[in-house]
Amino acid sequence: MKKALILVNLKDTQVEQLRTKYPTVEFTTDPGDYLDAEIILGWKVSQADELLKSKKLKWVQAKSAGVDYFPLEEFAKRKIKLTTASGLHSRYIAETVAAYLLIENRGLRPVIKNPGMWDEPEVYETSEQTVLIFGTGNIGKEIARYCHFFEMKTIGVNRHGADTQLAADFDEIIRMDEFEATKDKYDAAYVINILPGTKSTNRFFNKDSLKKINPGYSFINVGRGTSVVTSDLEHLLADDYIKSAYLDVFEEEPLKQDSPLWHSPKIISTPHISGLMAHFKEELLPLFDDNLERYLADEQLHNLVDLDAGY
């Protein structure tokens, strides 16, 4: 009998549903019961060394879209399959980004940052703005869809270029190598980063790349903190090259309480909450259920990670 270790806090009724549907699988919710687990739902970074002691481990279903906290090289070496919850959080991250856009455009940032100041802030017209979105997967497309609702022009940046699946949400697509090679500056009111945490994206947003966009834009990061050189971002904000920043992820987390990223009038920082869902358990279970059915039938899994690419 195959054993599945559940490291996500599902409801008892949900676990019973799985046991009833899959009588050939032993489901355990005890984190210490990992030695012969073939399947794991969720992951605990603090327990990674122990979880990898299972010689039978063949598949892990992550509860997140990003997988930079997994030991990907070890997974590749042992041919352990890893699937993500990509698509599950898209709407909610897009809603958070939409909130950032409205806070900035409606002049709410100075009001939030300076309580008690009775002043009229500057406001902006979304229909006159262009947004540059780095990453055109499920999350990027949903963010672009929300931006289109605000009548913004959407430009996506990715590695493979344009395709028919992107046409409805993006007005234009730029390849990453084109962006890096250009000597011209791009015009955008917002630069939104949703790039995954990989070797190729590590510290991608440095002084040089951030200066490839004309000054006066706002920078939003709901991707990975490791993709941004924080000191370069801070310097460009101090020099008024970048107007403002909305940061949900950071190079080091949790962000220290005395960090200037909390207190700068130009920055709104949030504690890695952009993907929070009110009914996460109810949304995650069908994804795992579908993939488990596929796994037991030896079929292709949804959201399978390319362990070499890191996403």
Side-chain angles (χ1 to χ4, degrees):
M1 181 177 281
K2 301 178 186 296
K3 178 183 283 189
L5 171 59
I6 298 174
L7 294 177
V8 175
N9 189 25
L10 296 180
K11 297 176 182 176
D12 291 342
T13 53
Q14 291 176 312
V15 177
E16 285 307 313
Q17 274 183 306
L18 291 171
R19 286 174 175 151
T20 300
K21 184 173 179 179
Y22 302 102
T24 61
V25 179
E26 177 190 351
F27 293 94
T28 176
T29 57
D30 180 359
D33 194 8
Y34 57 82
L35 277 179
D36 55 352
E38 181 175 330
I39 301 161
I40 296 179
L41 170 59
W43 192 255
K44 290 184 181 293
V45 175
S46 61
Q47 198 184 349
D49 290 341
E50 292 179 332
L51 297 175
L52 287 169
K53 288 178 181 178
S54 173
K55 303 300 181 184
K56 294 183 178 181
L57 185 58
K58 293 182 181 179
W59 167 44
V60 176
Q61 170 67 59
K63 65 176 184 178
S64 58
V67 293
D68 51 323
Y69 59 94
F70 280 90
L72 300 182
E73 290 185 7
E74 184 66 19
F75 273 42
K77 179 180 174 183
R78 292 177 51 183
K79 297 182 179 179
I80 299 170
K81 294 179 179 180
L82 176 62
T83 53
T84 74
S86 179
L88 211 61
H89 305 271
S90 299
R91 170 189 161 191
Y92 307 98
I93 294 175
E95 287 181 355
T96 302
V97 170
Y100 295 155
L101 296 174
L102 293 175
I103 287 172
E104 187 67 26
N105 276 1
R106 299 307 304 157
L108 298 178
R109 173 174 50 83
V111 176
I112 293 169
K113 285 292 186 174
N114 299 288
M117 293 293 292
W118 192 272
D119 200 3
E120 185 176 292
E122 189 171 4
V123 295
Y124 306 91
E125 175 56 59
T126 54
S127 65
E128 298 173 354
Q129 294 176 323
T130 295
V131 57
L132 204 57
I133 302 173
F134 284 79
T136 60
N138 290 323
I139 298 170
K141 287 192 292 184
E142 188 70 356
I143 290 173
R145 192 173 72 84
Y146 274 68
C147 290
H148 265 175
F149 175 79
F150 294 141
E151 299 183 358
M152 304 172 87
K153 179 181 179 181
T154 58
I155 301 176
V157 185
N158 64 24
R159 296 204 171 274
H160 67 271
D163 61 48
T164 55
Q165 294 183 340
L166 303 177
D169 301 307
F170 291 95
D171 300 305
E172 185 181 338
I173 295 291
I174 300 167
R175 289 199 319 273
M176 194 77 83
D177 57 356
E178 292 176 320
F179 174 82
E180 292 177 296
T182 187
K183 294 181 180 179
D184 298 324
K185 290 183 184 290
Y186 292 94
D187 276 317
Y190 291 93
V191 173
I192 302 175
N193 172 37
I194 51 170
L195 295 176
T198 67
K199 291 179 182 177
S200 62
T201 64
N202 188 49
R203 298 172 72 83
F204 173 81
F205 288 101
N206 53 36
K207 181 176 69 173
D208 293 335
S209 60
L210 290 169
K211 278 198 163 187
K212 286 184 179 291
I213 298 97
N214 280 320
Y217 67 91
S218 296
F219 181 77
I220 295 174
N221 191 7
V222 289
R224 282 295 181 261
T226 54
S227 62
V228 179
V229 180
T230 304
S231 58
D232 287 357
L233 176 63
E234 289 179 299
H235 286 147
L236 291 175
L237 284 163
D239 292 342
D240 290 327
Y241 191 93
I242 295 176
K243 183 177 67 170
S244 61
Y246 292 77
L247 310 175
D248 188 54
V249 290
F250 307 90
E251 285 185 274
E252 293 184 14
E253 295 185 4
L255 188 63
K256 294 180 179 178
Q257 285 190 336
D258 61 353
S259 170
L261 299 181
W262 287 120
H263 307 291
S264 167
K266 294 186 176 183
I267 302 172
I268 296 286
S269 293
T270 50
H272 204 147
I273 58 171
S274 64
L276 286 183
M277 302 165 59
H279 305 291
F280 175 69
K281 297 173 188 177
E282 286 77 5
E283 298 286 346
L284 179 64
L285 185 60
L287 174 66
F288 176 62
D289 187 355
D290 181 58
N291 258 348
L292 179 56
E293 198 169 288
R294 290 169 174 272
Y295 177 81
L296 296 175
D298 199 25
E299 296 176 355
Q300 179 72 20
L301 301 178
H302 284 309
N303 297 339
L304 188 64
V305 172
D306 181 331
L307 296 172
D308 294 324
Y311 61 94

